[in-house]
Amino acid sequence: MDFIGANILSVSQFERGDIDRVFAVADTMVPYARREKVTRVLEGAILGNMFLEPSTRTRLSFGSAFNLLGGTVRETVGITASAMAKGESLYDTARVLSGYSDVICMRHPQEGSVAEFAAASRVPVVNGGDGANEHPTQALLDLYTIRKELEAHGRSLDEFRIAMIGDLKYGRTVHSLCKLLCLFSNVQIVLVSPPELAMPEDVVEKLRAAGHKVSVSDELEASISHVDIVYSTRIQEERFASQEEANLYRGRFRLNREIFTRHAQPNTVIMHPLPRDSRAEANELDTDLNEHPSLAIFRQTDNGLLVRMALFALLLGVEGKVDQYSHEVRWHVRRTPV
Amino acid sequence: MDFIGANILSVSQFERGDIDRVFAVADTMVPYARREKVTRVLEGAILGNMFLEPSTRTRLSFGSAFNLLGGTVRETVGITASAMAKGESLYDTARVLSGYSDVICMRHPQEGSVAEFAAASRVPVVNGGDGANEHPTQALLDLYTIRKELEAHGRSLDEFRIAMIGDLKYGRTVHSLCKLLCLFSNVQIVLVSPPELAMPEDVVEKLRAAGHKVSVSDELEASISHVDIVYSTRIQEERFASQEEANLYRGRFRLNREIFTRHAQPNTVIMHPLPRDSRAEANELDTDLNEHPSLAIFRQTDNGLLVRMALFALLLGVEGKVDQYSHEVRWHVRRTPV
Amino acid sequence: MDFIGANILSVSQFERGDIDRVFAVADTMVPYARREKVTRVLEGAILGNMFLEPSTRTRLSFGSAFNLLGGTVRETVGITASAMAKGESLYDTARVLSGYSDVICMRHPQEGSVAEFAAASRVPVVNGGDGANEHPTQALLDLYTIRKELEAHGRSLDEFRIAMIGDLKYGRTVHSLCKLLCLFSNVQIVLVSPPELAMPEDVVEKLRAAGHKVSVSDELEASISHVDIVYSTRIQEERFASQEEANLYRGRFRLNREIFTRHAQPNTVIMHPLPRDSRAEANELDTDLNEHPSLAIFRQTDNGLLVRMALFALLLGVEGKVDQYSHEVRWHVRRTPV
């Protein structure tokens, strides 16, 4: 795809080469994210960060990524702050607001609304999540994290094993990730969920059509024993017929240090799209793993910055000029790695 | 007037020469708004963007205008976020908050509150709308748009024809625009509204005292057939005695492509202060005109950036230095014109 | 203490030399706060300004202080905007959000929460107020203001007289200020409050152990007649057994121009942590003193900028480089002093 001026609305718009491109550019962003260098390449550019549904993490990640390229951010949070409440159409909103910025990130509670907005926008639009539909930058950062963790052990995206655990029926992130995995080869996928929350059949079909091996399980321990990546997601109790059944499954899919140490291989990596519910009654990914080197959940969010910086650089056509306008950081950096 | 350090509170404070000055400076902002150039002239300056009543469009327009001059924005949205809830006076709020910025834009739900705030502020204040009272930058951008559209056809503000349509009784924008029109000569004004929503007599008096020809009509088609500008505004149904009467008038003042094409002249321009209500039951300015070249409503909001940039530059005394601190834009600009 | 990379969580972490250090750096910030100069020393640095409980004044003060050093601000306001609502732990929030910024300021309604957040944060954290517990930068700006006002009359923090008035039992700011005063010598302190709202005994003990003279009074007039500083605070009526009692005390501790002129010495300075309740029924510090040169309450908030700039500079290790990356301000500054 031609990234310059494009909208990023869905994972479906990426081909294999596009992914490679984004990830290669993301790699070049490391010195800026680590605060070794500062760039002014986007000096004067304005990101319209439109979060009509609140999301602290994603909103700040987009905003900081744009700042790290030297750009400025104008922000809107919450639907009530908007003229839409007075009957303004998405078309009008997009026509007007796109006049105030150079690129727009939008989260919106309604499926399809970001694409509708993008069609009327006069500048590129990045989908920051539209209801249950798409959240393409989350899928990209997940895949980038898998690649990076695999490469640390000499592996690649073209031959690895992953267990996806939890709510595979409603989980937007696992669906998008599976779509992206179809661009690669020889992935072994174990799907671990209660039957009520199984992966939709059409997603499984696509994975198989791409040549991947897909198996289904409802046993956590067996599933994590031969994989490179454990991708855990939240199970919400309201999905079940009764509280008893919910408790049964939540207990069975709860990953903690003891289970992980006993059953997983040393190099296995744990991921989660966050937020994870750390209250005692949920705790799907136990806090006793917080200091475990296999826990990659905060490396994921760090990687989100790199991927979003890469997308902004590509959309605005500056990916080759970042270093040209850079200088050394001037302050003392205290930043604990994760 | 001496713009340096002044407050912008009301359209009444402008004389003809001031308007000419603002518009001349606004014209020089085009290369920055079009992202051909980037300036650092306001590097280090802070705009306090205080929207105690929410308004996405106006808030972002002020903020982006300040950013486009190289300045930084600190923002407050909503009255609950404020110490005012604990009994703090506007005087105290102004004394304190003006210590944190170099210029303040304020929207406030109460009439007169922005002037009260400005009296205690230690830095210049721009009124971003105080209840039903004033919204001077909206009137300036409307007039600047009229001038620009007229000039595209070799005309000027000193001899043109305008039809104002809709709620002329309560519409803050049409009142302010009429005040500004009194600074010019030979304007022919057709006022089109239901009798309940007629233009107040004192506004009509002022227009006539300025030498303008004012006529009144309640027929949309006849009114738009010999004007250069159609300025449409929202008719709210709750203004009427009965739903039947509301429907009658809404149907009679609804401008769409068929009516416009049949009755208006080719060069006639359509304006609206926005937001327009695009729901089927309102739709005062039909969406079937969205792609029509006569529709200037998004050129209006684009012009708002230019006018606000001009005001900031004049208040801070940098209107002659913008180019001196400028450089070429570094990213690829994809910006569809409107 | 070693400021580089430190957290600022409590006034208890400061020794005398640390205070002197912060104040010396604050003094060097004056040309930047007065807009004589602009610095880029923190260009590229991001402040995460996390106000999970709203506070316009403190939030804007932190944000503007960071901007005045050339840094960028990403902001979050309100707890609902946060994943915490979905059961995310402070640990997770801190791990993630600290990846997006270089220093974090946090206000949180719960005591101890900011320290908990700081323990998991990967970058330095400044406490912007955690419930009734601590608000260290307020205490620092109060003390810095006292020092500056004393020095204007050739006095110093090591020998002065202060009257603290109002709610001394629940007032977080007076407790913190007293802790800091223990680092100095020969302070005479008059504590003026209703018996129900008296200063806690342990605070009085600490002041006496530090060698200060502490006396208690319930007469406003006598108390302010021989002091250098009058530090007034709000008395909330809900603290009393009956409305009659509340009215009695509020009347007795209300400072106005007549009382001040008749009883205080000419050089005496009036301070207040703000917001003050200016409604007629409260009015603990009468608005008829607004233009009095002894009223230092807006000099306090101005000093807050200097102290916060100093802390940021010290935490990020740039206090010696601010001038090196500076240039003259480019705009016309209109800033009324207070």
Side-chain angles (χ1 to χ4, degrees), chain A residues 178-179 182 201-212 214:
Chain A
C178 286
K179 278 192 202 164
C182 293
E201 207 38 53
D202 63 309
V203 179
V204 176
E205 291 296 313
K206 273 184 202 141
L207 288 169
R208 287 194 171 125
H212 301 321
V214 183

Side-chain angles (χ1 to χ4, degrees), chain A residues 34-332:
Chain A
R34 279 200 194 138
R35 274 44 164 201
E36 291 157 9
K37 294 165 82 180
V38 167
T39 182
R40 289 181 187 163
V41 73
L42 287 188
E43 185 184 339
I46 299 175
L47 166 66
N49 213 20
M50 305 280 305
F51 274 70
L52 305 190
E53 182 182 57
S55 163
T56 304
R57 180 198 328 284
T58 307
R59 176 175 56 83
L60 292 178
S61 180
F62 276 120
S64 291
F66 206 73
N67 286 154
L68 288 176
L69 290 169
T72 297
V73 181
R74 301 260 45 81
E75 213 155 60
T76 294
V77 178
I79 193 110
T80 57
S82 165
M84 295 182 201
K86 297 183 201 160
E88 186 173 79
S89 65
L90 266 178
Y91 176 89
D92 279 17
T93 307
R95 285 319 247 188
V96 173
L97 298 189
S98 58
Y100 302 153
S101 46
D102 297 283
V103 55
I104 286 177
C105 291
M106 176 174 261
R107 168 163 292 197
H108 194 291
Q110 273 180 289
E111 293 184 39
S113 54
V114 177
E116 188 186 340
F117 183 94
S121 171
R122 299 144 61 196
V123 301
V125 172
V126 178
N127 187 352
D130 59 329
N133 186 33
E134 286 264 7
H135 186 11
T137 60
Q138 175 72 41
L140 286 173
L141 77 86
D142 283 344
L143 190 65
Y144 181 72
T145 301
I146 296 171
R147 190 198 74 146
K148 217 167 175 173
E149 300 287 333
L150 290 173
E151 285 184 351
H153 304 107
R155 312 285 306 281
S156 93
L157 282 172
D158 277 315
E159 187 164 358
F160 75 101
R161 301 157 301 171
I162 183 170
M164 298 182 181
I165 298 169
D167 178 356
L168 306 184
K169 183 172 182 188
Y170 298 102
R172 177 175 63 180
T173 56
V174 286
H175 301 171
S176 296
L177 182 57
C178 286
K179 278 192 202 164
L180 286 182
L181 289 181
C182 293
L183 301 173
F184 297 82
S185 51
N186 292 327
V187 186
Q188 292 182 35
I189 302 152
V190 194
L191 303 172
V192 190
S193 73
E196 290 92 334
L197 300 177
M199 183 70 83
E201 207 38 53
D202 63 309
V203 179
V204 176
E205 291 296 313
K206 273 184 202 141
L207 288 169
R208 287 194 171 125
H212 301 321
K213 265 195 219 150
V214 183
S215 60
V216 172
S217 166
D218 69 348
E219 289 295 335
L220 180 70
E221 288 83 351
S223 310
I224 67 171
S225 60
H226 296 288
V227 297
D228 305 293
I229 307 287
V230 173
Y231 191 100
S232 172
T233 66
R234 159 190 306 231
I235 299 187
Q236 289 154 303
E237 59 186 353
E238 60 271 29
R239 303 291 189 196
F240 294 91
S242 71
Q243 186 64 44
E244 288 69 35
E245 204 178 339
N247 291 343
L248 179 75
Y249 282 113
R250 289 163 97 196
R252 206 191 284 168
F253 296 131
R254 201 170 286 164
L255 186 59
N256 62 23
R257 181 176 277 263
E258 195 210 329
I259 294 168
F260 186 75
T261 309
R262 198 174 328 141
H263 296 278
Q265 295 172 331
N267 285 343
T268 297
V269 164
I270 306 165
M271 295 174 60
H272 189 293
L274 301 184
R276 60 173 170 167
D277 191 338
S278 293
R279 288 173 289 200
E281 67 272 23
N283 205 18
E284 70 253 11
L285 182 52
D286 200 299
T287 53
D288 69 1
L289 282 159
N290 278 356
E291 304 300 320
H292 198 290
S294 284
L295 191 77
I297 61 178
F298 305 118
R299 298 198 287 274
Q300 272 175 280
T301 54
D302 272 13
N303 288 335
L305 272 185
L306 299 174
V307 167
R308 291 178 176 121
M309 289 174 79
L311 284 175
F312 288 135
L314 286 161
L315 297 184
L316 296 169
V318 297
E319 75 281 5
K321 298 191 211 167
V322 177
D323 287 350
Q324 187 185 335
Y325 296 101
S326 71
H327 58 263
E328 298 299 299
V329 76
R330 290 165 187 154
W331 66 92
H332 178 97

Side-chain angles (χ1 to χ4, degrees), chain C residues 204-215:
Chain C
V204 176
E205 291 295 313
K206 272 185 203 141
L207 288 169
R208 287 193 172 127
H212 300 323
K213 266 195 218 150
V214 184
S215 60

Side-chain angles (χ1 to χ4, degrees), chain C residues 15-314:
Chain C
E15 295 179 14
R16 169 70 186 259
D18 303 324
I19 301 290
D20 293 343
R21 188 87 201 284
V22 173
F23 290 179
V25 175
D27 287 344
T28 69
M29 297 299 170
V30 171
Y32 300 94
R34 278 199 195 138
R35 273 47 164 199
E36 292 156 9
K37 293 164 82 180
V38 167
T39 183
R40 289 180 188 165
V41 71
L42 287 189
E43 184 185 339
I46 299 175
L47 166 66
N49 214 20
M50 305 281 304
F51 275 70
L52 304 190
E53 183 183 56
S55 164
T56 304
R57 180 198 328 285
T58 306
R59 176 175 57 83
L60 291 179
S61 179
F62 275 120
S64 292
F66 206 75
N67 286 153
L68 288 176
L69 290 168
T72 297
V73 180
R74 300 261 44 82
E75 214 154 60
T76 294
V77 178
I79 193 110
T80 55
S82 165
M84 296 181 201
K86 297 182 201 160
E88 186 173 80
S89 64
L90 266 177
Y91 176 89
D92 279 15
T93 307
R95 286 317 247 187
V96 173
L97 298 189
S98 57
Y100 302 153
S101 47
D102 297 284
V103 56
I104 287 176
C105 291
M106 178 176 261
R107 169 163 291 196
H108 194 290
Q110 273 181 289
E111 293 184 39
S113 54
V114 178
E116 189 187 339
F117 183 94
S121 171
R122 298 145 61 195
V123 301
V125 173
V126 178
N127 187 351
D130 58 330
N133 185 34
E134 287 264 6
H135 186 9
T137 60
Q138 175 72 41
L140 286 173
L141 77 87
D142 283 345
L143 190 65
Y144 181 73
T145 301
I146 295 172
R147 190 197 73 145
K148 217 166 173 173
E149 299 288 333
L150 291 172
E151 284 183 353
H153 304 107
R155 312 284 306 281
S156 93
L157 283 173
D158 277 315
E159 188 164 357
F160 76 100
R161 300 156 302 171
I162 183 170
M164 296 182 183
I165 299 169
D167 177 357
L168 306 184
K169 184 171 181 188
Y170 298 103
R172 178 175 63 178
T173 57
V174 286
H175 301 170
S176 296
L177 182 56
C178 286
K179 278 192 202 166
L180 286 182
L181 289 180
C182 292
L183 300 173
F184 297 83
S185 51
N186 293 327
V187 185
Q188 292 181 35
I189 302 150
V190 194
L191 302 173
V192 191
S193 74
E196 290 92 333
L197 299 178
M199 183 71 81
E201 209 37 55
D202 64 308
V203 179
V204 176
E205 291 295 313
K206 272 185 203 141
L207 288 169
R208 287 193 172 127
H212 300 323
K213 266 195 218 150
V214 184
S215 60
V216 171
S217 165
D218 69 349
E219 289 295 337
L220 180 71
E221 288 82 351
S223 310
I224 66 170
S225 61
H226 296 288
V227 297
D228 305 293
I229 307 287
V230 173
Y231 191 101
S232 172
T233 66
R234 161 190 305 231
I235 299 186
Q236 290 154 301
E237 59 186 353
E238 60 271 29
R239 302 291 189 197
F240 294 92
S242 71
Q243 185 65 43
E244 288 69 34
E245 206 178 338
N247 291 344
L248 178 75
Y249 282 114
R250 290 162 96 195
R252 206 190 285 168
F253 296 131
R254 202 170 286 165
L255 187 60
N256 62 23
R257 181 176 275 265
E258 195 210 331
I259 294 168
F260 185 76
T261 308
R262 198 174 328 142
H263 297 278
Q265 296 172 332
N267 286 343
T268 297
V269 164
I270 306 165
M271 295 173 61
H272 190 293
L274 300 184
R276 59 172 170 166
D277 192 338
S278 293
R279 288 173 290 200
E281 67 272 22
N283 206 16
E284 69 254 10
L285 182 53
D286 200 300
T287 52
D288 70 2
L289 282 159
N290 278 355
E291 304 300 321
H292 199 291
S294 283
L295 192 76
I297 61 177
F298 305 119
R299 298 199 284 276
Q300 273 175 278
T301 53
D302 271 13
N303 288 334
L305 270 186
L306 299 174
V307 166
R308 291 179 176 119
M309 289 173 80
L311 284 175
F312 287 135
L314 285 161

Side-chain angles (χ1 to χ4, degrees), chain B residues 59 104 118 162 173 180 319:
Chain B
R59 177 175 56 83
I104 287 176
I162 183 171
T173 57
L180 286 183
E319 75 281 7

Side-chain angles (χ1 to χ4, degrees), chain B residues 3 5 106 146 154 176 186 258 267 281 310:
Chain B
F3 280 100
M106 178 175 261
I146 295 172
S176 296
N186 292 327
E258 195 210 329
N267 286 343
E281 67 272 22

